[in-house]
Every structure is written in C-alpha cells, then in structure tokens.
Amino acid sequence: MRCAGLFLACALALTHASAAKAQTSEAPLAAPGEAAKPSEAAKPNDASSAPAQAIKAPEPASAAQAAPATPAWYEAIRPEFILLSTGRYQGNDGNHTTLSENGGAWDPTGRKFGDLVTTVGGSLSYQKWVVATRLDLIQYFHAPKAATPTFPSIRDKLKARYRNQVQLEYISASYSGRHVELTLGDFYATLGRGMVLAIRKVGDVGIDNKLRGADIKLNAKGASLRAFGGFLNVKNYEAGTGYAFDEANDRIVGGELAYQYKRYVKVSGFGAFISPVKSAASQSEVLNYGAALELPRPVPWASVYLEAAKLHRNNKGASDDDGKGLYGAASFYLGAVTLLAEGKAYDNLFEITPRGQATATNPDVTQTRWGINQLIAQPTAERAQAQLETNRSVYGGRLRADYSITPLLVPYLSLGAYVDDVHKTDIFAGFGGLRYRPQGFQLVGELGHRRELLKTGSQVFRADSHVDLDLRWDFIAKQQAELVVNLQYSEMADADWVEGRVALSWTHQVGVGLTAAYEVYTRQPTIFDEHYFSLSGQWQFMPGSILRAMVGGERAGLKCAGGVCRLFPGFEGGRLELELRL
Amino acid sequence: MKSHSMLFVSLFFAACAAQTPAPGTAPADGAAPAEKAASTQASELPDFTLSTTEGERFTLSDHVGKEVIVLSFWATWCAPCLTELPHLEALYQAEKDNGLLIAAISMDEPSSVAEVAPTAARIGLTMPVLLDTDQRAVQLYNRSRNAPMTVVIDKTGKIVRASAGYEVGDEVKLAAEVRTLLK
C-alpha cells in the first residue's frame, strides 16, 4: 500500500512538472497568425469529401510559443511513464460464477470490500535501444474471510482471491536495428496466424502472456530468421476476478524462417516446442510446426493466404495427441465490392494451456473458473464477438461482401457454414449491417443470427441472435452524443437468456464526458440481479491522462476478443480510475 | 541459469555493437552522402520491418530523416479508428508530395487480420497499411496498445507527438501540426 501511495505521489508531482510539455505536444505548431493553407489536393471529392472539409486552417499557436524548451538529455532518452490506478468498492465481490458451479449456491462471505489495483510502467529509449518495465500492485481493504472454518473450500478460495501482490509483470531491454532485432526479457511471439503459437496480450479479456528470455530476428533482403526461447510469464493478477496466479514457467522455444520475393509471394516455416517445468501426472511436451504461403498481390484485384499446422503432444506414457489445421483467406477487390473468403479445417487442434502449479491458494491457470488461457489461437473465421462453444475440430468457411455505395455508405453481409465434430453439429452463421459516416454523424448497425443444430434430430444445440447499433452525432458545436446498443438473445437446451448493454454518452471536446448505461444478463442463476444500471464520467485533464468515475453495476457474462472468450463476474459498487501518461 | 544469463548478455551486446557503426565510418552498404545523412538520422529511433497489405516490406529507417512520418495504430474492431482513417487518408493525399508519410499500422490479432486488407480497400486507403500481428511496432511505439494511437516523427527523427484516442476535430490539430513540420 505504501508503494502504491508513493507512486501516486510521484505521479502527481510529475504531472505538475510535465504540464508545459503536454501543451507543447498538443498545441498547433503553426506560427502565430500564420494559418496553414488547405492543399488543393485536399479539396472535396467523391473519395474524401468529408475528411477534406474537416482538415482546415489551424488556430494560432500561442501556447506552443509559451512552452519551455525540453532539456536535451530528456529528448535523448525519451522517457515515458504510465500509471493506471483503479480503486473500487465492491458490493458484489465477483467471487461467484453465473453458471451452476457449487450447485448454484453463492458464497455469501465476499461482499463489501475495497481494492486498489495500480499498474506502473515506464520506458527509456536511446537511439535504437529501449528498456521498459511494468509493475502491478494489488491491495485489498476489508477483505472477506470465511464465515466459519467448516467450509475449507470457500476459505481457500477466499485466500486465493484476496491476496495482496506486488508483481514485476514486464521487464525488457531491446535493440531494434535495420537488420537485427534483439530483446532480452519479456516479449510476445505469434507465429503465422496463431495455430502454432500465440503468446500475446488480449487486454479486453485480461490475458497477457509473455515469454521471459531472449528473442532475436535477423532481416536481410527479403529474408528473415527469428529464434526465441524463454519461460512463460503469465499475468499474475487476473483483472476479471482478482485471483492471484504464480508463474506458469513453461519452457518455450521457437523460430521462424521467411522469405519474400517482391510483392508476389512470401513463404515461411515456423515451429515451437513447449515443455512444462515440473513433472506431474499431467505433464507433457508439445511440438508444433507449420508453414504459410502468402500471395499478397499476385494480381491487382486479389490476395491469398494459406497456412497449415501440425500439433503433437507427448503425454509421457499415455496416448499421444495429434492435431492438424488448415486455414486460408482470400480477398478480392472488385471496384466498389470487396469480398473476403475464409476457410478452416481443424482436426483435433487441441487447446494448449499454461502449466499452472495448482495449490489450494493458487488456482491452476489452466483451470480458471473464468475460461481457458491458451497458448495458441486458431483463427475462428467467424465474427470476432461470436461465442464459440469450441474451435477444435471444425471445418467450413464464410464469405463476406462489402459494397461501397459511396465511401461513406457501406452495407455488408457475411454468410458462413461449418461442421463441428466435437458437438456433432452443423453451424450456420450470418450477419449483415450498414455503416454510414457522413461528416458529424455516424450510424453503424448490424443484425445477425448463428444457429448450431445437432446432426441427430436437427435440434438446436445453441442459437444466438444479436443486434448492434452505434449512433453518434455532433449535435452542438464541440459536443457529441453517442448511443451504443449491443444485445444478444441466446438459446440452449437448458436455458435461454438475454445479455447486453445499452449506453448513452455525451462528450465535450474540452475533455469531459458522461455515460449512462443499462446492462442485462438473464441467464439463471444470475448474480444479484438481472438488470444493472450505472453512471460514469470522465475528465481528460491533460493529453493522454484521464480520470474516470463510475457508480452502479456491470453485468456478468462472456466477453470475447481476439478469438478468446472468457466468463467475467458481475460488479456492483463504485470505481475510480486514474490513467496518467507522462 | 547464471551462465546462460551471461551468455545472453554477451550475445546481446555483441550483436548490437555489430549493428552500430563507429563514429566517422562510412555505411557498410556504400550509401551516397545524402543517404548517409538519412541513415544517421534513422539510427535515432528503434527500427522495425513489417509487411504491408500490398505485399511490400516497410522498414521505418528507410523513411526517418527523409519525411515527416505519422504512425497511426488502428484495428478493424476499433470504431474511432475507422472514423479517423478517412481523415488521415485525406491528409496523406494532400501532403504526400510535400514529404508526408502516413503508415496505418494494424494491431489486429490473427483471428481478425484477414479483414485488414478488405477494410483498408473499402476506406480507400492508399497509404501503407502495415500488419503487426506480432506486436513488434506496438511494443516500440504504442506500448499501452491504444487504438487509435498517433505518433508523429519530424524530419530530424524526433518524436514530436504521441497521443491516444480520437475525437472529432483532432484531425484539424494533426493537419496543422504536420503542415508546420513540413515547412
């Protein structure tokens, strides 16, 4: 706690010191009274009329003139400092699942507590060198304890849930040259489209996997060679639940060799070997490899990407697992119409998860109650927010067409069909919408339906219908209103439910905004309520730095991003966030 | 483990030393004087090489010191980005002949990267659209993974602006700033 307070104090002091610098970075840089003239080429035309009108003469730059010069040493090392601090008071601790875990019984002990989560990051850059680090600090106040010692499972869960932490989440030193890129410390690694390896950050669902080791890439005349190795460094604090995890520490080595001939063809081969650190009954080793062929523009109106991957898991005594996958995408540019065709054929492309060291107070990262953290990422070839039951043994594809009636008015339609060999279902997925973006107004609307039918009996295994709307308009000078609607109705054999969010926002260009939101999640059993209301506000008090406050509730339910879906708990209470960038 | 760490450190510095020319030495590739000056400027910033949706290879150091560069980080799922990009394209069209380069760096994950090229075509982007599925440029210039995120580099290779988000009217400020840098 003292650490967090110290960081906050330092940050506020730095805020004061950097105010002049911030003005310099944001203020128009034209000389006083000297307005930049819109270029002739920027005149309105069919392709860019709205933007060209928007780019107009600048304001005089008196603020820039008044700003003091930045010291040479400061510019040479380009320091960057980021602080994200979130303090919450929770009426609902989130230590529940919305599904039928524990027979649907809620843990009654974990409410009315506070937490302060602070992330402090910084970097220094000198020429091609960058050193960066990030620290996560988590502090609980009035943390719930088990009501009686007769419920050891609840007691242990609470211990794991409310553990104060200080975690060195990221540290790296890198050199990025024209022919050599080298990193010591933490780095990300995705090979191909992710079927072989995807060590990555998906912030929206709280995943931040890194490798802590060394990564080198050599580039020369169209060819590149990359080799890396290290220990898996998972995010030790799960933002969605507050659970604390020890490091997974899987050993991972991998590499990629690629060659590109002009803009016509690129070929690459890649592989990765994943080995757990400690032996236990479930320990195994995984060897993945694959190859990709890319034809970026074999003809001016098309591009093609193909990738094949093979997975092999040695289960050390038990029968091995083998998986293979084929993914392809082709784009066609036919005047006002663009077509995207995506296809996938996955045969037992099994999940590869971190090897957490499960103890009573350290839940296994492979078995979080809130969803799997994977080390590979098979492309879904579906809508990014689609809630997939599985993406392991499935084949099929989709075709998406966008038609630019004008550059500002674009309707689109996507139709897909897949066969899932895990649940033995046929899947049909279609969605269509419209984007209309004239000057000072935006309308984006989408409707869709996804239906999964059991092969035997054609009964519905799962069906989802969704509506998305984003309506934004500049109703008064420098003020903007926005209505966002995301609603989904879902059916399964044992339940049907509605989930989603409706939010109305007002923002002013001076940097303030207010949002009133309603969220719903009716799947039974639910946490507390089915309906949640919240009011939030934000103030951008200097460029890149924001203060946010929220009071009310947020629904539980699935969040999907980057092909990953995780179940998040609900929240009721108040929240204050400070985001500071210097 | 300790010996491995020492080996890593030794390799790290050896490789970097091999990349950094000694003061006063000529470029190894025999570049012309003008190119030499540019490459001196280029050494001021961390470099990256990414593929474009058109199949070209884009290396940042090819442009630093020669042009005013705007790095615009975006993604197909980012609504404000899709609102901002047409404005950036208009600015690019207006000023590219005056020495402005705008690179739209897609932060799309592998699951949505197939949509990048069609989206760029729909918007009518003629600027280079880079694919950064491995978060290479993101780690160097957009560590917080903001979308959109705008980084402006002047002709001396100095980062003069790094701002997150997009609000209506931001394009006006950016255009003014860029045009001043182009003078």
Side-chain angles (χ1 to χ4, degrees):
Chain A
M1 182 54 205
R2 282 180 190 155
C3 293
L6 182 61
F7 276 117
L8 279 170
C10 291
L12 290 173
L14 282 167
T15 306
H16 181 69
S18 68
K21 175 171 99 66
Q23 283 180 351
T24 307
S25 66
E26 275 298 298
L29 298 178
E34 186 183 352
K37 295 169 187 164
S39 164
E40 286 297 308
K43 282 183 177 176
N45 55 41
D46 283 349
S48 58
S49 55
Q53 287 168 359
I55 299 169
K56 53 192 180 188
E59 302 291 328
S62 55
Q65 274 200 329
T70 312
W73 65 265
Y74 188 91
E75 294 201 353
I77 60 173
R78 299 196 300 276
E80 189 179 44
F81 176 83
I82 299 174
L83 179 143
L84 306 172
S85 191
T86 303
R88 298 187 296 185
Y89 176 78
Q90 303 195 114
N92 174 356
D93 71 343
N95 193 23
H96 309 301
T97 173
T98 54
L99 301 177
S100 56
E101 187 175 279
N102 294 333
W106 305 128
D107 167 10
T109 59
R111 291 172 191 162
K112 298 180 181 175
F113 71 97
D115 59 17
L116 178 66
V117 179
T118 302
T119 295
V120 184
S123 66
L124 296 174
S125 305
Y126 178 69
Q127 295 187 351
K128 294 180 183 298
W129 301 77
V130 180
V131 292
T133 189
R134 196 179 89 222
L135 209 59
D136 285 357
L137 305 101
I138 299 97
Q139 175 75 42
Y140 290 98
F141 306 94
H142 189 54
K145 294 177 180 161
T148 73
T150 57
F151 298 102
S153 63
I154 290 178
R155 182 194 61 206
D156 292 342
K157 284 178 182 176
L158 292 177
K159 277 185 186 173
R161 173 69 174 80
Y162 304 105
R163 195 198 310 178
N164 296 337
Q165 302 174 68
V166 177
Q167 300 282 357
L168 179 61
E169 198 54 64
Y170 185 97
I171 185 164
S172 77
S174 65
Y175 174 86
S176 299
R178 182 180 182 82
H179 300 297
V180 176
E181 299 170 32
L182 189 58
T183 302
L184 278 182
D186 290 310
F187 59 91
Y188 300 97
T190 295
L191 298 174
R193 293 281 163 96
M195 285 192 288
V196 167
L197 188 71
I199 306 296
R200 59 180 182 158
K201 180 176 183 176
V202 191
D204 288 345
V205 289
I207 287 177
D208 188 5
N209 296 329
K210 302 160 288 291
L211 283 179
R212 184 163 287 177
D215 180 18
I216 184 168
K217 186 177 182 185
L218 308 174
N219 298 299
K221 294 182 179 177
S224 66
L225 172 66
R226 182 183 184 188
F228 57 83
F231 297 91
L232 183 66
N233 172 16
V234 299
K235 187 173 184 177
N236 300 97
Y237 166 73
E238 184 165 271
T241 62
Y243 268 104
F245 298 134
D246 288 342
E247 290 301 346
N249 276 337
D250 306 64
R251 289 186 297 255
I252 300 178
V253 294
E256 178 176 23
L257 179 62
Y259 177 73
Q260 180 169 348
Y261 178 69
K262 295 185 177 176
R263 58 189 295 182
Y264 303 116
V265 62
K266 179 181 179 182
V267 292
S268 56
F270 35 80
F273 178 71
I274 306 171
S275 173
V277 110
K278 290 189 175 181
S279 62
S282 63
Q283 299 309 298
S284 57
E285 295 174 338
V286 179
L287 176 65
N288 300 342
Y289 51 90
L293 170 68
E294 189 171 1
L295 306 174
R297 283 300 160 98
V299 290
W301 48 269
S303 60
V304 177
Y305 180 89
L306 289 171
E307 181 177 325
K310 180 87 167 63
L311 278 56
H312 177 79
R313 179 159 55 197
N314 178 352
N315 287 321
K316 299 285 181 71
S319 60
D320 293 352
D321 294 316
D322 284 294
K324 48 185 180 289
L326 188 64
Y327 167 81
S331 301
F332 304 94
Y333 314 100
L334 310 170
V337 177
T338 58
L339 295 176
L340 168 64
E342 270 189 296
K344 61 181 180 180
Y346 302 152
D347 178 12
N348 191 33
L349 212 57
F350 49 82
E351 291 89 1
I352 301 173
T353 57
R355 298 283 163 176
Q357 301 159 41
T359 65
T361 56
N362 180 38
D364 189 338
V365 291
T366 68
Q367 301 297 328
T368 70
R369 300 156 71 196
W370 314 103
I372 290 174
N373 179 8
Q374 276 214 70
L375 303 184
I376 62 171
Q378 313 93 314
T380 64
E382 291 208 47
R383 177 174 167 262
Q385 297 81 12
Q387 297 180 1
L388 307 185
E389 292 293 323
T390 175
N391 194 27
R392 177 177 182 153
S393 291
V394 57
Y395 56 91
R398 68 155 174 162
L399 181 66
R400 172 177 171 146
D402 293 66
Y403 175 48
S404 296
I405 298 173
T406 75
L408 305 176
L409 179 61
V410 183
Y412 59 92
L413 181 67
S414 173
L415 296 173
Y418 314 86
V419 175
D420 182 351
D421 278 344
V422 173
H423 294 116
K424 307 295 180 193
T425 55
D426 293 319
I427 303 167
F428 304 96
F431 61 89
L434 178 77
R435 286 188 302 276
Y436 180 50
R437 292 191 173 103
Q439 182 67 22
F441 182 81
Q442 171 177 290
L443 170 64
V444 180
E446 182 179 295
L447 289 170
H449 183 71
R450 185 179 187 277
R451 198 166 193 83
E452 220 171 327
L453 299 172
L454 290 167
K455 285 179 178 293
T456 53
S458 294
Q459 294 172 317
V460 172
F461 175 73
R462 174 167 184 153
D464 301 298
S465 303
H466 75 270
V467 56
D468 293 334
L469 175 71
D470 185 349
L471 180 62
R472 189 186 309 168
W473 69 100
D474 305 341
F475 64 102
I476 305 176
K478 297 185 177 180
Q479 295 184 61
Q480 192 176 68
E482 184 172 21
L483 174 67
V484 177
V485 177
N486 304 111
L487 290 172
Q488 178 167 300
Y489 171 70
S490 300
E491 295 174 78
M492 291 189 77
D494 59 346
D496 62 291
W497 70 95
V498 175
E499 61 184 300
R501 183 172 195 261
V502 178
L504 183 62
S505 303
W506 164 83
T507 55
H508 192 289
Q509 277 189 37
V510 297
V512 296
L514 287 172
T515 299
Y518 163 71
E519 299 193 11
V520 60
Y521 186 78
T522 63
R523 187 169 190 176
Q524 296 298 332
T526 59
I527 299 171
F528 276 16
D529 302 315
E530 296 179 345
H531 308 282
Y532 298 82
F533 298 90
S534 67
L535 188 64
S536 59
Q538 68 176 48
W539 173 39
Q540 183 171 327
F541 55 92
M542 54 185 263
S545 296
I546 301 174
L547 188 65
R548 298 186 186 90
M550 173 267 191
V551 62
E554 292 173 342
R555 72 185 175 94
L558 271 181
K559 285 185 183 177
C560 299
V564 182
C565 293
R566 307 190 87 192
L567 186 61
F568 276 72
F571 172 79
E572 287 195 354
R575 185 169 61 220
L576 188 64
E577 293 179 9
L578 172 66
E579 184 174 335
L580 197 60
R581 295 171 193 278
L582 306 174
Chain B
M1 183 64 191
K2 190 176 177 183
S3 61
H4 290 173
S5 301
M6 291 298 291
L7 181 61
F8 279 140
V9 171
S10 304
L11 284 172
F12 183 76
F13 285 105
C16 299
Q19 279 288 294
T20 309
T25 58
D29 55 2
E35 290 170 326
K36 181 184 170 184
S39 65
T40 303
Q41 297 291 354
S43 69
E44 297 297 320
L45 289 174
D47 207 359
F48 60 79
T49 298
L50 297 174
S51 294
T52 73
T53 53
E54 298 289 318
E56 310 284 356
R57 286 166 69 84
F58 179 98
T59 300
L60 181 66
S61 61
D62 287 344
H63 305 277
V64 174
K66 299 174 184 172
E67 294 152 298
V68 172
I69 302 168
V70 176
L71 304 178
S72 175
F73 291 89
W74 70 289
T76 56
W77 40 258
C78 163
C81 304
L82 300 180
T83 304
E84 182 187 33
L85 279 171
H87 295 294
L88 294 179
E89 175 62 23
L91 177 61
Y92 177 65
Q93 287 293 335
E95 301 294 349
K96 65 180 180 182
D97 293 337
N98 298 325
L100 172 66
L101 172 71
I102 302 181
I105 303 175
S106 162
M107 300 162 60
D108 279 79
E109 298 281 339
S111 59
S112 60
V113 72
E115 296 193 10
V116 173
T119 302
R122 251 186 339 264
I123 298 172
L125 298 185
T126 61
M127 65 179 80
V129 178
L130 315 185
L131 304 174
D132 192 18
T133 50
D134 204 22
Q135 307 181 18
R136 208 82 188 173
V138 167
Q139 278 302 102
L140 295 172
Y141 294 99
N142 184 14
R143 194 172 298 278
S144 300
R145 293 179 56 81
N146 291 304
M149 171 82 179
T150 306
V151 177
V152 181
I153 302 168
D154 71 10
K155 283 185 178 176
T156 69
K158 178 180 157 192
I159 296 175
V160 295
R161 172 192 177 121
S163 56
Y166 170 75
E167 297 290 344
V168 174
D170 284 354
E171 71 275 7
V172 180
K173 294 178 190 171
L174 179 66
E177 196 171 320
V178 162
R179 285 177 173 134
T180 302
L181 295 172
L182 288 170
K183 285 177 182 169

